Amino acid sequence: MVEFLPALIGGILIGGSAGAYMLFNGRIMGVSGIVGALISLTTPGDWKERIFFVIGMLLAPAIYGLFTTLPSVEITSNIAIIVIGGLLVGFGSRLGSGCTSGHGVCGLGRFSKRSFVAVFTFMIAAILTVFIQNHIFG
Amino acid sequence: MRLVISLFTGLVFGFGLILSHMVNPAVVRGFLDFAGQWNPSLGFVLGGAVLMSIIAWRVRDRRFEPVFGGDFPAPAPQIIDKKLISGSIMFGIGWGLVGLCPGPAIVGLGFGFTNIWIFVAAMFIGMGAFQFYNRS
């Protein structure tokens, strides 16, 4: 069980960085969009900003680790499930135009109807998937 | 300055994902497991994040342009189509299966687990497959 205060503060940092990215740079902080455009065939005009955002994300664990201990990361699924999950997350987030950060944080914050539908849909799909894995096959 | 903002927001976003344990697939799957030992902490993550986002969009309504120029994002489209629904279903299944979505997966690369690198490689292949699918 994770305590609620770090969860709330973590959420404030996530939403705060999304808000700052939008107010200062005028962009939606959606990770699937930022990363997806980087690996597309056409180079987006703001590719440098996208790269710098990703570099910031990649540096986060090392810098966080300088100040305090990193939390544990437990990824227990077998390789086949990890590969299938990765493929679905990659393809699905692009087809649905967003993931947890773009639709979940930015979209809900601007009361976008599309994002409400997307978040509701992927939450239900994820909850059903975990239910089937843990309680039917588990 | 735009690059500094990009780097800094990426870093703070990463800190948020680490501090809130979003980077831990076991915690994410615990949140999604309503029928098991449900761990509600990620509800606070989403709540805090959406609250800050709502405030930012209110501030946006009072400004003509972003601090460092350019345009604000176009108004959110309202179309709810098959792509949105089927994409979100696929994304949700993948997210539930492993407990990783794109943000935590990329931040998780820095934790040095081979499995996370494999997940991110598969995710990139999935995104690439979408580019191919979307072209034809």
Side-chain angles (χ1 to χ4, degrees), chain A residues 48-136:
Chain A
K48 275 188 198 159
E49 289 170 35
R50 293 167 188 263
I51 295 265
F52 271 66
F53 184 83
V54 173
I55 292 172
M57 289 173 74
L58 291 171
L59 290 176
I63 294 175
Y64 189 97
L66 294 177
F67 296 99
T68 178
T69 43
L70 287 164
S72 60
V73 167
E74 305 141 85
I75 175 160
T76 49
S77 322
N78 70 49
I79 296 293
I81 295 289
I82 288 172
V83 170
I84 295 167
L87 290 170
L88 285 170
V89 165
F91 193 94
S93 62
R94 297 296 284 150
L95 181 63
S97 313
C99 59
T100 348
S101 50
H103 279 312
V105 178
C106 303
L108 294 187
R110 76 195 297 198
F111 302 116
S112 152
K113 200 170 72 179
R114 239 170 94 79
S115 292
F116 274 104
V117 172
V119 172
F120 180 78
T121 307
F122 67 60
M123 288 296 294
I124 297 293
I127 288 166
L128 285 177
T129 303
V130 171
F131 180 80
I132 292 168
Q133 261 182 310
N134 286 5
H135 303 288
I136 295 180

Side-chain angles (χ1 to χ4, degrees), chain B residues 57-118:
Chain B
W57 285 103
R58 292 288 84 81
V59 175
R60 179 241 175 277
D61 290 339
R62 293 164 176 273
R63 291 188 58 94
F64 294 108
E65 57 173 33
V67 176
F68 296 118
D71 294 310
F72 278 121
Q78 295 295 318
I79 321 141
I80 291 160
D81 54 7
K82 242 190 328 195
K83 281 172 74 176
L84 182 79
I85 303 291
S86 49
S88 297
I89 290 174
M90 289 172 72
F91 170 77
I93 294 172
W95 187 37
L97 277 176
V98 184
L100 280 174
C101 50
I106 289 173
V107 172
L109 291 175
F111 282 73
F113 290 94
T114 316
N115 282 348
I116 296 184
W117 284 81
I118 294 171

